[in-house]
């Protein structure tokens, strides 16, 4: 568990992060969402002390991060950054082995773990001897994730990890990311400005603006129980899409009768409708789902 | 023709050439190694503490702008002569490119990469050695390349402070009017620069990982090549001798000392501007010099008696093209006003005023002319311009100034002075190419350096100062269309000198005494 307690940071007299508090539960993906300059990256970097907070405290599992050696703290926290941040002078193998080397792992252990991660991340072992500039953006990002995961640290900080990828690659990595067992027992804080990404990956979302947290909550809460106009306005342009995406089949059960279900119950409405709309034979089912969704929605916003 | 004789020169002198190349490389590599040892950490420091970068780079930049000869001059009081001042001076020139490129290289590393390294948990040392230095290495090596090329060039000046190197041939050749000698020094120097540049370029392309294997070998290579310097320049002698490059190659110089006296003192080659001071400060014990030099008096030196007469006296006189005399009809009689107005002690005294009392040549010239009732206020000059040249030592500056005042006082010609021409060859070439109209020259130099007749002629004509003058004057008119005007009246000859105190202590009065002393035990 990561607890942030009234932390502030000023740059040149201007507040970048202004007295914010939040916490991330164990095994939870918490998304820090906001526009550029809202202070989300600063907040993230204060957790592994790449940026030192001016005031306030941050605790990891109850331990103040200031009480340990900064290198030890960082070795225990995986960090993934936007442009992969791979060392251009190291091969992929050396890049992935950076932290094990600092931790003085033996060669075999490092190699076994590297191979394990590569197969989980759908990377071929051929790339190990290559240099970062010889890889595609998506591959580089996967290597960046492998590097952050290798030491099995329970915490992962991700700074716009998929921000530099094209939409198709991004969608692929998103689905891999969600299905990756490795991540299911980690506490992850992910920074993004991409609203869809936040809703797709986040268990909870912290919406930030001008160095403050405006609202924290589950995706559903963000949409149906917005705290103020800012929150409502923020999601307005994506709203319908987001609603389709956060609603799963299970939610619609009460509104669906005599319906043959051949989708898993945690499929999103969006995915079901995508599939049904591409099949002309199933317009009936499509309409039923839409109707059920509308009924469900009425109750949510009421 | 020239090429063939250059080849002959090289094959005759190949041992000397090899020694000089070894010394040259030694100086370059040792200074480069030291510059890396000093410059790299400084560059890293200012990349860490950027506030310091302005001042450190500023100081290194200022050091870089000090003219190399002046820098060598500053070094003598602190480090004496020989390898130490040369290496220190070279080190100073190599610093700026190394510091600056280290700084630029490290500050140019992508900040995202540095952040990633920190986020992985690297400490400052790991960050420096695993990330910053490897990524900055190509830029740092480019700096070392620049420094190496600069150093090969500047190391030619090491011969000024008796540190050897290819400068011995280059500056010897300039003084002795020997083009082959200049080329034998200059071509290898240029080749060394190109070679070193290409060699280091190879390292620039090697990946850092592979470079790490060489990491420990490189300093070893540097030290080995550097130590070649001491292998070649170790000359043990009871007396430390330093001669000018010109003296080294003249019959009335080192060659005569060897052939007539059988005296080999293992001399180092040193620039005459610093030679006297080095003798005074005990860095050298035996030096060559001019008999009228004011510094003999100033530094309390003793001129050894030339008991076998290898340093014949020579007149000083202006030399000028006959053509030029026709162009400026009033010039000859004006210059001849000075004829016979000097003698050795007057000239020595004038030199003393310049060298020791630090009076300006203008002041000395005016005082001299007033004393001899020759001074006239400058007339309105509206005629053609006469250009007077001089070599780069005090006596010539004074003479030039006297001529200038004389011409301005007695004629309507304009006068322009071109002082400080590097040596006999430069002066004479300037005269031949009409870059100057006349300059004061010495008949001995005319005979031995410019005319270079066979030995029989030399021994015949150099029996007296007058016969030398006559021979030189007629040959110059024949060969170059140049006349020697009336001699000024003082004789200038080469001389060997020591500190007075030491010569008394060792009871050395003549050159033969010196040989006895060196041969005993």
């Amino acid at each position: 568990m990561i607890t942030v307690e009234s932390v502030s940071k000023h740059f040149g007299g201007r507040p970048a992060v202004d007295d914010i508090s939040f916490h991330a539960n164990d095994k939870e993906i918490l998304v820090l969402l906001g526009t550029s300059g809202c202070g989300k990256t600063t907040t993230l970097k204060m957790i592994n002390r790449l940026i030192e907070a001016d005031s306030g405290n941050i605790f990891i599992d109850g331990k103040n991060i200031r009480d340990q050696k900064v290198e030890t703290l960082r070795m225990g926290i995986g960090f993934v950054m936007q442009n992969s941040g791979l060392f251009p002078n190291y091969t992929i193998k050396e890049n992935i082995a950076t932290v094990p080397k600092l931790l003085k792992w033996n060669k075999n252990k490092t190699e076994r773990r590297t191979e394990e991660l590569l197969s989980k991340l759908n990377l071929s072992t051929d790339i190990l001897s290559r240099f970062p500039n010889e890889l595609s953006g998506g591959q580089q990002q996967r290597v960046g994730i492998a590097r952050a995961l290798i030491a099995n640290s329970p915490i992962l900080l991700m700074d716009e990890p998929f921000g530099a990828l094209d939409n198709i690659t991004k969608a692929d990595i998103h689905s891999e990311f969600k299905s990756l067992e490795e991540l299911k027992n980690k506490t992850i804080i992910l920074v993004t400005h991409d609203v869809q990404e936040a809703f797709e990956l986040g268990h909870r979302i912290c919406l930030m603006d001008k160095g403050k947290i405006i609202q924290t909550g589950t995706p559903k809460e963000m949409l149906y129980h917005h705290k103020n106009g800012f929150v409502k306005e923020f999601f307005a342009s994506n709203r319908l899409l987001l609603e389709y995406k956060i609603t799963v089949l299970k939610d619609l059960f009460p509104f669906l009768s005599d319906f043959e279900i051949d989708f898993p119950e945690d499929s999103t409405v969006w995915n079901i409708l995508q599939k049904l709309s591409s099949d002309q034979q199933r317009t009936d089912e499509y309409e039923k789902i839409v109707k059920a969704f509308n009924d469900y929605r009425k109750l949510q916003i009421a | 023709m020239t090429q063939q004789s250059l080849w002959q020169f090289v094959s005759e002198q190949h041992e000397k050439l090899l020694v000089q190349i070894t010394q040259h490389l030694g100086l370059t590599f040792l200074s480069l190694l030291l510059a890396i040892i000093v410059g790299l950490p400084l560059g890293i420091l200012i990349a860490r503490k950027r506030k310091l970068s302005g001042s450190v780079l500023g100081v290194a930049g200022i050091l870089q702008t000090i003219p190399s000869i002046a820098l060598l001059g500053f070094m003598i009081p602190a480090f004496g002569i020989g390898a130490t001042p040369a290496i220190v001076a070279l080190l100073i020139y190599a610093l700026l490119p190394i510091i600056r490129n280290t700084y630029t290289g490290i500050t140019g590393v992508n900040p995202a990469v540095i952040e990633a390294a920190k986020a992985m948990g690297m400490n400052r040392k790991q960050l420096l050695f695993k990330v910053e230095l490897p990524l900055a290495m190509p830029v740092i090596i480019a700096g070392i390349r620049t420094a190496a090329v600069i150093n090969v060039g500047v190391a030619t000046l090491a011969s000024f402070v008796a540190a050897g190197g290819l400068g011995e041939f280059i500056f010897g050749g300039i003084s002795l009017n020997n083009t082959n000698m200049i080329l034998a020094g200059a071509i290898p120097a240029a080749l060394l620069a190109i070679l070193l540049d290409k060699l280091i370029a190879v390292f620039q392309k090697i990946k850092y990982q592979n470079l790490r294997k060489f990491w420990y070998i490189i300093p070893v290579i540097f030290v080995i090549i550097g130590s070649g310097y001491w292998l070649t320049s170790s000359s043990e002698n009871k007396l430390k001798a330093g001669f000018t490059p010109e003296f080294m190659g003249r019959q009335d110089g080192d060659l005569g000392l060897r052939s007539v006296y059988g005296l080999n003192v293992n001399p180092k080659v040193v620039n005459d501007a610093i030679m006297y001071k080095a003798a005074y400060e005990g860095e050298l014990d035996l030096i060559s010099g001019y008999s009228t030099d004011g510094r003999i008096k100033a530094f309390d030196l003793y001129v050894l008696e030339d008991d076998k007469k290898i340093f014949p006296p020579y007149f000083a006189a202006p030399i000028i093209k006959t053509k030029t005399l026709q162009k400026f009809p009033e010039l000859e009689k004006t210059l001849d006003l000075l004829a016979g107005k000097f003698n050795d002690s007057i000239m020595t005294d004038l030199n003393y005023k310049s060298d020791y009392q630090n009076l300006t040549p203008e002041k000395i010239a005016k005082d001299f002319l007033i004393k001899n009732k020759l001074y006239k206020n400058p007339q309105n000059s509206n005629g053609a311009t006469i250009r007077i040249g001089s070599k780069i030592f005090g006596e010539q500056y004074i003479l030039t100034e006297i001529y200038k005042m004389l011409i301005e006082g007695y004629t309507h010609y304009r006068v322009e002075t071109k002082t400080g021409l590097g040596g006999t060859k430069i002066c004479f070439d300037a005269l031949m190419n009409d870059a100057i109209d006349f300059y004061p020259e010495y008949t001995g130099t005319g005979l031995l350096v410019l005319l270079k007749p066979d030995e029989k002629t030399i021994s015949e004509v150099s029996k007296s100062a007058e016969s030398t003058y006559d021979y030189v004057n007629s040959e110059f008119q024949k060969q170059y269309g140049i006349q020697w005007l009336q001699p000024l009246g003082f004789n200038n000859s080469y001389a060997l000198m020591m500190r007075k105190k030491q010569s008394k202590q060792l009871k050395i009065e003549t050159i033969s005494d010196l040989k006895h002393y060196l041969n005993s035990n």
Side-chain angles (χ1 to χ4, degrees), chain B residues 320 324-325 328-336 386 407 411 413 437-438 485:
Chain B
I320 183 164
T324 315
L325 282 177
F328 302 105
E330 288 173 63
L331 187 58
E332 184 168 4
K333 68 171 193 279
T334 312
L335 296 184
D336 282 348
I386 296 175
I407 295 169
T411 74
Y413 302 132
D437 292 312
F438 74 91
L485 299 185

Side-chain angles (χ1 to χ4, degrees), chain B residues 234-495:
Chain B
S234 59
S235 63
E236 272 312 303
N237 231 328
K238 281 195 277 184
L239 291 177
K240 284 174 281 176
F243 296 161
T244 62
E246 181 164 347
F247 189 85
M248 291 291 289
R250 278 175 70 144
Q251 192 54 43
D252 61 340
D254 192 48
L255 300 181
L257 284 178
R258 284 168 200 260
S259 62
V260 178
Y261 284 96
L263 185 70
N264 181 4
V265 290
N266 275 329
K268 289 182 169 167
V269 178
V270 61
N271 182 265
D272 65 345
I274 64 157
M275 186 171 65
Y276 294 88
K277 196 148 190 255
Y280 174 69
E281 286 170 353
E283 295 286 341
L284 291 172
D285 300 313
L286 183 71
I287 60 170
S288 65
Y290 299 105
S291 56
T292 52
D293 203 297
R295 288 170 289 194
I296 297 173
K297 197 169 152 190
F299 289 132
D300 204 20
L301 300 175
Y302 177 78
V303 176
L304 300 186
E305 192 194 323
D306 174 23
D307 50 334
K308 289 188 183 168
K309 305 283 172 229
I310 62 161
F311 303 138
Y314 296 118
F315 289 141
I319 62 173
I320 183 164
K321 280 188 179 172
T322 314
K323 210 171 66 191
T324 315
L325 282 177
Q326 286 156 2
K327 193 170 141 202
F328 302 105
E330 288 173 63
L331 187 58
E332 184 168 4
K333 68 171 193 279
T334 312
L335 296 184
D336 282 348
L337 287 172
L338 281 181
K341 286 286 185 287
F342 293 85
N343 61 37
D344 290 5
S345 64
I346 291 174
M347 196 62 236
T348 309
D349 188 52
L350 295 184
N351 283 333
Y352 176 75
K353 282 178 176 155
S354 152
D355 294 335
Y356 194 66
Q357 298 180 330
N358 294 327
L359 298 180
T360 62
E362 288 84 359
K363 167 98 173 105
I364 299 169
K366 196 169 174 184
D367 289 351
F368 172 81
L369 287 175
I370 290 171
K371 203 169 152 195
N372 284 279
K373 301 197 172 59
L374 287 169
Y375 186 77
K376 278 191 188 174
N377 282 323
Q379 301 194 13
N380 287 335
S381 49
N382 46 20
T385 304
I386 296 175
R387 293 152 304 165
I388 315 174
S390 91
K391 299 183 192 176
I392 187 163
F393 53 89
E395 181 169 300
Q396 294 250 331
Y397 281 86
I398 297 168
L399 291 175
T400 308
E401 213 45 57
I402 293 175
Y403 285 132
K404 181 179 183 223
M405 286 179 186
L406 214 52
I407 295 169
E408 284 175 345
Y410 287 80
T411 74
H412 289 288
Y413 302 132
R414 262 183 251 270
V415 179
E416 203 180 289
T417 57
K418 306 218 175 210
T419 50
L421 299 174
T424 301
K425 181 177 170 52
I426 294 173
C427 252
F428 187 71
D429 284 351
L431 184 67
M432 286 301 286
N433 294 316
D434 296 314
I436 56 174
D437 292 312
F438 74 91
Y439 76 94
E441 185 54 283
Y442 309 90
T443 54
T445 306
L447 179 72
L448 296 168
V449 175
L450 297 169
L451 289 174
K452 295 184 208 157
D454 55 61
E455 274 187 40
K456 211 176 120 203
T457 319
I458 292 177
S459 61
E460 225 162 79
V461 300
S462 58
K463 275 185 186 127
S464 77
E466 284 79 13
S467 64
T468 312
Y469 176 82
D470 290 341
Y471 176 78
V472 169
N473 193 11
S474 74
E475 283 299 311
F476 265 59
Q477 294 199 26
K478 242 186 277 171
Q479 292 187 24
Y480 310 120
I482 287 174
Q483 291 189 26
W484 289 72
L485 299 185
Q486 301 260 357
L488 293 165
F490 69 91
N491 288 318
N492 193 341
S493 73
Y494 270 121

Side-chain angles (χ1 to χ4, degrees), chain A residues 174-200:
Chain A
H174 278 170
S175 60
E176 277 171 34
F177 187 83
K178 278 194 286 190
S179 59
L180 206 59
E181 281 304 318
E182 190 94 23
L183 296 175
K184 299 227 159 115
N185 45 22
K186 284 192 195 306
T187 309
I188 299 175
I189 298 185
L190 186 145
V191 162
T192 186
H193 62 264
D194 181 337
V195 176
Q196 289 189 45
E197 183 171 276
F199 275 73
E200 205 156 317

